[in-house]
Amino acid sequence: MELYVRNWRCIEEVKVDLKPVTLLIGKNSTGKSSLAYAPYLLVKLAEWRDVNRVLTQLYGVELDGVVRSTGVEKYYPVVIQAGDSRFEASSAQDYRVPEGAPWRDGYLLPSQRLSFSKLAQFIPKLGRKIIERSPEAKLLLAFTSSIIELLKTLPILPPMYFFLEDFTKLYRGRGFLRLHRLGEVGVLIEEVAPLLNLITYEYEDPFTRLKIPLNLAPDGFTDLIIVRIFVEMIPEGSLLVVEEPEIHKNPLQIIDLIKYMARRAVERGLTLVMTTHSDIALQALAKTVEEEAIRTSQVAVYYLERSHEYPWTRIRELKVYEDGTIEELPDVEKAVALLF
Ligand SMILES: Nc1ncnc2c1ncn2[C@@H]1O[C@H](COP(=O)(O)OP(=O)(O)OP(=O)(O)O)[C@@H](O)[C@H]1O
Ligand SMILES: [Mg+2]
């Protein structure tokens, strides 16, 4: 599926082909997340219709904050297109939202996912404490139908709301949702219950077999669980954007995770878009091709860069060959030279 992006954050104009597995790699601030969020934006726009509401939840700003700018000038039109789905804005007031999206649904695992899930565990606890201490607070909380609704109207910590919405959607209508009701504020707890449910999963220490609740588990493991839940539970044919899957992980764990994600994305008919800083992630993807768990035609790797001469994102495809070699490993040699 071809993705076309114009005048969006640091991207002047790019066209990339999204494959079942697409990896965006490059130095910091080169536009990886900007590009990865673009197709997700299409899905949310098709659903919500209101551009500024979506952008406020995604970035905490409205259209004028995400249109490509030099600080002095803003460059409209903004265009994001994938398949027949097209968003176009010729000014902050004049825009057209897509009628539909090329994917069944869209899911985003932002780089802050672990903190967001910890916060989601903390908010109901905070609610409980407030109610214990002050009965009047009960009344106040009763006006807010749920924590999700609260985050929807007051965009705190974007894109936390989308993360929670995407997360709760996976569990809604499924049998194993356990509600942690608490009197009148039941609804408050109910919306975040999937995350509470998640944290009641047990973590088993790999060396002693000690069992502890997931909220006491190591970060790498918790992040792994979050990623796995999305990869397994989102509907087939969905878009899944995962920022930096390597976060909190040792290289050996990164290799396992990337191989698993690539294989399952293809098996489940997903469009998986990942951003990364990890050369190991790139090489693990190539290894997955070599081991024939996925084919070269199902993978795309793009290297993003910017320079002082041309400050907007430039993209180069890095070919992955059947024998698991990659056309070029862009920043590795430089890193090695700096270290030795
Ligand atoms: N409206 C805008 N106009 C121009 N540039 C922008 C705008 N908004 C953000 N940027 C720039 O876009 C750049 C890329 O941001 P992005 O988050 O996509 O980078 P990234 O490659 O994901 O970085 P990291 O590796 O640190 O996560 C930033 O340097 C930021 O200054
Ligand atoms: Mg990023």
Side-chain angles (χ1 to χ4, degrees), residues 9-10 28-34 65 67-69 277 306:
R9 290 174 52 91
C10 62
N28 289 105
S29 308
T30 48
K32 301 179 296 297
S33 299
S34 304
V67 57
R68 183 173 66 93
S69 166
H277 296 128
R306 296 172 67 193

Side-chain angles (χ1 to χ4, degrees), residues 214-319:
L214 194 55
N215 57 337
L216 299 177
D219 292 345
F221 182 83
T222 312
D223 192 68
L224 202 71
I225 291 291
I226 295 173
V227 172
R228 288 185 70 115
I229 284 176
F230 275 72
V231 169
E232 296 301 332
M233 289 178 63
I234 67 172
E236 304 220 344
S238 295
L239 168 78
L240 175 59
V241 176
V242 184
E243 287 195 273
E244 300 159 39
E246 70 270 15
I247 289 181
H248 304 296
K249 293 170 202 83
N250 162 285
L252 298 174
Q253 185 68 71
I254 297 174
I255 296 173
D256 278 354
L257 177 61
I258 295 291
K259 284 184 178 178
Y260 157 79
M261 290 174 80
R263 180 176 54 81
R264 288 300 285 154
V266 168
E267 284 170 1
R268 302 205 60 238
L270 306 178
T271 297
L272 173 65
V273 179
M274 298 181 281
T275 70
T276 192
H277 296 128
S278 167
D279 171 56
I280 304 270
L282 170 59
Q283 302 209 41
L285 188 59
K287 192 75 189 169
T288 319
V289 172
E290 186 194 341
E291 291 173 355
E292 297 179 7
I294 55 173
R295 292 196 301 274
T296 48
S297 60
Q298 293 167 321
V299 179
V301 176
Y302 298 106
Y303 183 70
L304 283 71
E305 51 193 339
R306 296 172 67 193
S307 64
H308 290 288
E309 296 72 47
Y310 184 74
W312 314 117
T313 301
R314 275 190 203 282
I315 299 192
R316 215 151 29 92
E317 182 172 7
L318 303 181
K319 289 242 156 44

Side-chain angles (χ1 to χ4, degrees), residues 8 41 44-46 48-59 61-64 66 76 78 80 87-89 91-98 162:
W8 165 251
L41 181 81
K44 289 291 160 179
L45 284 178
W48 285 31
R49 322 292 309 159
D50 183 333
V51 180
N52 288 323
R53 256 183 81 218
V54 173
L55 287 171
T56 302
Q57 287 301 347
L58 198 57
Y59 281 114
V61 297
E62 300 197 341
L63 196 50
D64 249 348
V66 289
Y76 283 92
V78 180
I80 297 176
F87 166 66
E88 180 157 8
S91 76
Q93 290 75 36
D94 186 12
Y95 48 78
R96 206 157 48 89
V97 292
F162 278 145

